[in-house]
Amino acid sequence: MGEFKTILVTGGSGLVGRAIRTVVEAENRTDEKWVFVNSKDADLCDLSATRELFGKHKPSHVVHLAAMVGGLFHNMSHNLDFLRNNLHMNDNVLQVSHETGVKKVVSCLSTCIFPDKTSYPIDETMIHNGPPHASNFGYSYAKRMIDVMNRAYHEQHGCLFTSVVPCNVFGPHDNYNLESSHVIPGLIRKLHDVIAGEGTTFTVLGTGKPLRQFIYSLDLARLFLWVLRDYNEVEPIILSVDEEAEVSIRQVAEELARAFDFKGEIAFDTTKADGQYKKTASNAKLRKYLPDFQFTPFSVAIKESVDWYRENSANARN
Ligand code: NAP
Ligand code: GDP
């Protein structure tokens, strides 16, 4: 155990924030005070509200998760909002962290901000190598600027502001809104509704062929804690399952059908977009640091996520 830390988690009510909360509450450490905040505590697009929030909690460390986040379809229709909201939030959080002497900030990028035309697997050195996929360029450029700012704060002021790059995340407390959700929570919601309505067809958007790496939010939370406590590079680090764990959207739908014990038909609406075909990322850097880290098997994590939604659908973010 090191010196006492007060850790402010922005975006503390979201999918990743709730998972970190679950893990730190189970640890119950006495040398860390965790404060989880959301947009009701402060609109981080507003600089003075951000200053007030930091003045109130006086964090020594910040886990910056707050962001406008959404799946493929929400990104396609709101690129400007994704760009502006995320640029404002990130600039405010990093600037106020600097002003108030925060010792370390860990922010969140994503494997979906990498160049569209790239060689595979993608690694941490390739973030700025070319334009992102057109479907989410607003989110991508805003996220890429976090890495640019981290380097600039380090160069000019010596700050330890770093970032992690998760692949597609899923788990309890996700966003299940069909307009804005990522694929797994969207399909959980859809299948739940099909079964409730005694339907026999589960319709997946697109061809089902795109490939994705998915990380369980509770695994990501354990990795986040390691980054906060022990990773001291400014350069980003990819937090993803292994390359061999990549699955197609069709396999995701089949795993969900198993978890729900759904015996009906799985159909594909090929009039809907597929987005980027794949974004295969290498976790070699992570594996160098943590060769023995065990990810929860996909089928187990899917089952737990489905069971959570079945129990909590009435109060979930639908
Ligand atoms: P989420 O479930 O959508 O939660 C977003 C969080 O940000 C919520 O706590 C929300 O607060 C907060 N927030 C949004 N706008 C805000 C504002 N203007 N001021 C203050 N707080 C605001 O997101 P998530 O999936 O947990 O994502 C967490 C981080 O991981 C994000 O930086 C995201 O880019 C990154 N990431 C996510 C994925 C993924 O698949 N989900 C993949 C890679 C990276 P309210 O609850 O009050 O709205
Ligand atoms: P991405 O990984 O950043 O592209 O974002 P998503 O989590 O939204 O995954 C998008 C992929 O899942 C695309 O290939 C979509 O065609 C496919 N998909 C299938 N059904 C759905 C759905 O109901 N919602 C979403 N968001 N994507 C879906």
Side-chain angles (χ1 to χ4, degrees):
M1 305 233 171
E3 67 191 298
F4 189 82
K5 297 185 181 81
T6 299
I7 303 135
L8 181 71
V9 182
T10 71
S13 57
L15 167 67
V16 181
R18 294 294 295 248
I20 292 179
R21 193 172 187 154
T22 300
V23 173
V24 296
E25 283 177 358
E27 286 184 335
N28 202 15
R29 284 168 65 135
T30 53
D31 62 340
E32 292 177 356
K33 177 185 172 195
W34 287 81
V35 181
F36 294 85
V37 293
N38 61 29
S39 67
K40 291 181 196 73
D41 298 287
D43 176 1
L44 297 173
C45 292
D46 178 332
L47 179 59
S48 54
T50 308
R51 286 195 173 122
E52 235 172 81
L53 181 78
F54 276 63
K56 182 173 170 193
H57 297 292
K58 301 188 174 38
S60 61
H61 291 66
V62 172
V63 172
H64 174 41
L65 304 174
M68 182 172 176
V69 183
L72 170 65
F73 299 97
H74 197 46
N75 272 276
M76 284 169 68
S77 55
H78 293 83
N79 266 300
L80 179 64
D81 294 346
F82 276 94
L83 178 70
R84 296 192 67 234
N85 288 332
N86 288 323
L87 282 176
H88 287 313
M89 271 187 252
N90 300 337
D91 186 42
N92 290 341
V93 167
L94 293 184
Q95 173 56 20
V96 177
S97 294
H98 165 56
E99 286 171 7
T100 59
V102 168
K103 291 191 179 135
K104 184 169 178 182
V105 180
V106 183
S107 301
C108 223
L109 313 184
S110 165
T111 57
C112 65
I113 69 162
F114 280 92
D116 179 28
K117 298 204 172 22
T118 181
S119 55
Y120 293 101
I122 298 164
D123 71 35
E124 291 84 352
T125 66
M126 296 155 86
I127 293 176
H128 305 285
N129 283 1
H133 193 263
S135 58
N136 67 349
F137 71 92
Y139 178 80
S140 299
Y141 279 117
K143 288 285 183 185
R144 287 181 185 194
M145 283 304 119
I146 290 180
D147 178 54
V148 174
M149 284 193 281
N150 285 348
R151 290 168 198 275
Y153 275 106
H154 182 69
E155 192 182 293
Q156 201 169 322
H157 299 297
C159 299
L160 179 47
F161 295 173
T162 189
S163 61
V164 300
V165 189
C167 57
N168 201 317
V169 189
F170 69 101
H173 300 282
D174 213 329
N175 168 19
Y176 302 87
N177 182 296
L178 292 179
E179 302 293 312
S180 58
S181 67
H182 282 102
V183 55
I184 291 182
L187 292 181
I188 287 178
R189 162 82 189 276
K190 240 183 252 176
L191 190 47
H192 181 267
D193 291 355
V194 167
I195 293 167
E198 297 184 2
T200 53
T201 306
F202 169 34
T203 304
V204 176
L205 306 182
T207 61
K209 290 184 182 151
L211 301 173
R212 294 288 184 271
Q213 285 156 300
F214 292 98
I215 186 166
Y216 190 32
S217 59
L218 293 153
D219 291 345
L220 179 61
R222 292 192 285 135
L223 291 172
F224 243 110
L225 296 185
W226 167 75
V227 170
L228 180 79
R229 293 166 183 156
D230 297 315
Y231 175 78
N232 291 317
E233 295 182 32
V234 170
E235 282 74 32
I237 182 163
I238 290 174
L239 302 183
S240 171
V241 296
D242 302 322
E243 286 161 60
E244 306 75 62
E246 189 172 57
V247 289
S248 69
I249 300 298
R250 174 189 286 275
Q251 285 172 300
V252 171
E254 289 168 354
E255 199 60 64
L256 288 171
R258 264 193 291 282
F260 273 100
D261 199 24
F262 173 75
K263 305 277 190 238
E265 180 207 359
I266 302 178
F268 293 89
D269 179 355
T270 56
T271 66
K272 297 294 190 300
D274 268 348
Q276 199 165 345
Y277 172 61
K278 66 176 186 174
K279 326 176 176 204
T280 321
S282 162
N283 66 4
K285 184 173 180 179
L286 174 67
R287 283 293 185 203
K288 234 185 220 169
Y289 278 104
L290 299 179
D292 301 324
F293 185 85
Q294 297 283 330
F295 291 95
T296 308
F298 187 57
S299 57
V300 174
I302 283 285
K303 182 80 173 84
E304 288 180 10
S305 304
V306 164
D307 289 347
W308 183 88
Y309 187 71
R310 282 170 141 173
E311 279 163 35
N312 296 281
S313 61
N315 301 314
R317 280 190 284 162
N318 288 308

